[in-house]
Amino acid sequence: MIKHIVLWKLKEHAEGADRASNAAKMKTMLDACADLVPGILKLEAVVAQPGLEATYDVVLYSEFADKAALDAYQNHPSHLALKPFFGAVREARQCMDYEI
């Protein structure tokens, strides 16, 4: 199994919206990817919650059956379609994949 974790810190304003609106839009877009390809075992997108410590604004936690499933997800047209918006609203991005 491969775990794929991505964190985004967002710009205060981008694409005509504030940070909170863009974070909510990112979550909706990520949630729509939950069943894109066979082998996605779990896909959870979360927006930082007020009152709880967070250094990033949006987190994606996902699990894939194997590297082939992760690769299929990464290269799926619906996933690739997210990248322009995510790139425009993000200030920073961190990612880690690991096998267990």
Side-chain angles (χ1 to χ4, degrees):
M1 177 171 45
I2 302 281
K3 293 190 178 189
H4 173 67
I5 302 169
V6 187
L7 300 93
W8 293 270
K9 179 180 280 293
L10 304 185
K11 297 173 183 173
E12 196 60 44
H13 293 280
E15 298 297 294
D18 64 12
R19 177 184 303 209
S21 297
N22 284 333
K25 183 175 179 176
M26 287 177 71
K27 178 183 175 5
T28 298
M29 294 169 80
L30 288 165
D31 287 343
C33 293
D35 298 317
L36 281 186
V37 298
I40 295 177
L41 305 176
K42 182 174 189 168
L43 192 142
E44 180 179 72
V46 181
V47 173
Q49 299 172 1
L52 296 175
E53 184 177 349
T55 56
Y56 278 74
D57 299 299
V58 180
V59 175
L60 172 67
Y61 173 84
S62 51
E63 298 174 356
F64 294 84
D66 52 30
K67 187 163 184 329
L70 175 58
D71 290 345
Y73 167 76
Q74 295 282 28
N75 294 304
H76 192 282
S78 294
H79 177 261
L80 294 174
L82 305 178
K83 291 187 175 193
F85 177 74
F86 283 34
V89 301
R90 79 171 184 225
E91 181 178 302
R93 175 185 175 274
Q94 299 293 323
C95 178
M96 183 171 181
D97 297 332
Y98 60 97
E99 190 167 12
I100 61 166

